[in-house]
Amino acid sequence: MLTIRQMRYFEALAATGHFGRAASLVNISQPALSAQIAEMERILDIKLVERGRGGAFLTAEGQDLLPDIRQILENIDRLQSRVQAGQGPLRGRLRLGIIPTIAPYLVPELIPQVRSHYPDLNIELKESLTSTCIDDLRHGRLDCAVVALPAQGEGLESTFLFEDRFLIASAADENTILISPMTEDSVDVERLLLLEEGHCMRDQALAICGTAAGRRVANYGATSMATLLQMVSHGMGITLIPEIAVRDEASRNRMRIVRFAEPQPSRRIGLIWRSSASAKRRDFEALASVVRRSATGLLQAAAA
């Protein structure tokens, strides 16, 4: 008989297409995962997975089995949520995704709060782009995620967390004078450094600053906010910095940070989850309250 654990391993392998990444996702060794998949194949007497140079892929039989396994796992998660709901919010396992322009600043504040207020919660964190968070939610690999709203996708619900205003950052010894408060039209887009494609904040920066005809942004895409701001501090350009990052990044980079004129551009940060996970709504609302408290100190420090 198949076990729930084996089904979770199989679903992780189907989601990642790679034995090593699947093993990491479910927190076991690769040999242990391979052994469990082989045991599934023995029990069912069919080949589920093929190995290739690029990783692993499901056979036709494996593809046919996948929707049923995902449905079983979703039903099990729903049942566990109902049981936990009768015991109080935020108990047991909760898988939380957070976008990269939020995670490094929010997580150090969030985890102590969670441990203090909900000691029975086993929270698992995954830092991912918005598109990956949404895909992981749809396929049951995450329970909820902190992203910029609105999140595009059917079958999702959300609750607002906080407003994250944007500021302009330049090197402390920058020759170009940034007038405070800045206007969006006064941003030199030819010196504007951005995150690489796929980060929602890249699109937000372009929407805020615009790109006039014949003018192009700097030809570089950073992989992280930290890399981007190190480049700025060395005089390679200017960039937008979210308010939630100001306290930490200003303390470790030599930068001048200037606010925009009112109304200041911003992004709305929210918590999203699958509509089908309504049994966990009380957990999500409780987590949202902790996130709001955690973010408050970061935002107040930036405003000081």
Side-chain angles (χ1 to χ4, degrees):
M1 180 181 295
L2 297 182
T3 66
I4 295 173
R5 181 175 299 174
Q6 288 170 340
M7 288 188 281
R8 291 203 187 277
Y9 295 169
F10 177 73
E11 198 280 332
L13 183 58
T16 61
H18 191 276
F19 275 90
R21 288 194 289 270
S24 178
L25 185 64
V26 294
N27 297 313
I28 64 169
S29 68
Q30 182 173 332
L33 184 136
S34 297
Q36 289 299 316
I37 297 298
E39 179 64 11
M40 285 183 68
E41 293 178 325
R42 187 194 67 77
I43 293 170
L44 298 172
D45 196 26
I46 56 175
K47 189 70 172 175
L48 297 173
V49 181
E50 295 284 354
R51 284 180 169 87
R53 288 186 177 181
F57 60 92
L58 300 188
T59 63
E61 292 83 358
Q63 290 284 2
D64 289 342
L65 189 65
L66 182 60
D68 293 332
I69 284 184
R70 282 178 169 163
Q71 185 62 57
I72 290 169
L73 293 176
E74 186 172 321
N75 289 340
I76 290 170
D77 289 341
R78 187 180 296 115
L79 178 61
Q80 290 175 335
S81 297
R82 288 177 180 172
V83 173
Q84 292 169 2
Q87 300 173 340
L90 292 181
R91 301 170 65 95
R93 181 190 188 207
L94 187 140
R95 299 161 298 173
L96 173 65
I98 310 181
I99 56 175
T101 53
I102 294 288
Y105 316 109
L106 179 63
V107 168
E109 304 292 325
L110 175 64
I111 295 304
Q113 293 254 11
V114 167
R115 288 174 176 168
S116 173
H117 292 87
Y118 300 101
D120 295 327
L121 178 66
N122 175 24
I123 189 167
E124 299 176 8
L125 299 172
K126 182 180 180 182
E127 181 179 315
S128 300
L129 299 177
T130 300
S131 58
T132 302
C133 285
I134 291 174
D135 187 63
D136 285 347
L137 280 173
R138 286 174 171 168
H139 291 97
R141 297 187 291 268
L142 287 178
D143 298 304
C144 53
V146 176
V147 301
L149 300 176
Q152 302 298 322
E154 296 181 1
L156 296 176
E157 295 186 31
S158 67
T159 187
F160 173 73
L161 294 174
F162 57 89
E163 199 81 19
D164 194 17
R165 293 176 291 189
F166 290 113
L167 300 86
I168 283 283
S170 69
D173 56 357
E174 175 67 56
N175 292 326
T176 303
I177 298 175
L178 298 183
I179 301 172
S180 179
M182 290 282 289
T183 64
E184 294 166 20
D185 291 337
S186 64
V187 176
D188 184 358
V189 296
E190 294 181 356
R191 301 194 66 243
L192 184 65
L193 300 176
L194 302 173
L195 292 167
E196 66 182 2
E197 296 282 354
H199 287 268
C200 58
M201 202 179 126
R202 176 188 177 92
D203 299 328
Q204 292 158 352
L206 289 173
I208 291 167
C209 299
T211 50
R215 301 177 69 198
R216 302 171 64 181
V217 296
N219 187 24
Y220 184 87
T223 58
S224 70
M225 198 77 228
T227 300
L228 194 66
L229 292 169
Q230 285 178 16
M231 294 170 62
V232 167
S233 69
H234 285 86
M236 297 178 66
I238 61 175
T239 196
L240 265 67
I241 178 173
E243 194 168 29
I244 197 168
V246 167
R247 187 195 71 180
D248 291 347
E249 296 296 351
S251 68
R252 55 179 172 242
N253 291 292
R254 295 180 63 254
M255 297 185 301
R256 182 177 181 226
I257 298 174
V258 175
R259 288 194 176 274
F260 282 94
E262 296 290 352
Q264 296 181 54
S266 65
R267 58 180 178 172
R268 301 178 74 249
I269 304 301
L271 186 72
I272 62 173
W273 62 87
R274 294 186 308 279
S275 300
S276 61
S278 57
K280 280 193 168 185
R281 177 180 290 275
R282 188 163 64 140
D283 283 344
F284 301 143
E285 293 294 349
L287 178 63
S289 295
V290 180
V291 172
R292 291 186 190 105
R293 289 198 299 270
S294 301
T296 297
L298 294 168
L299 300 176
Q300 288 178 342

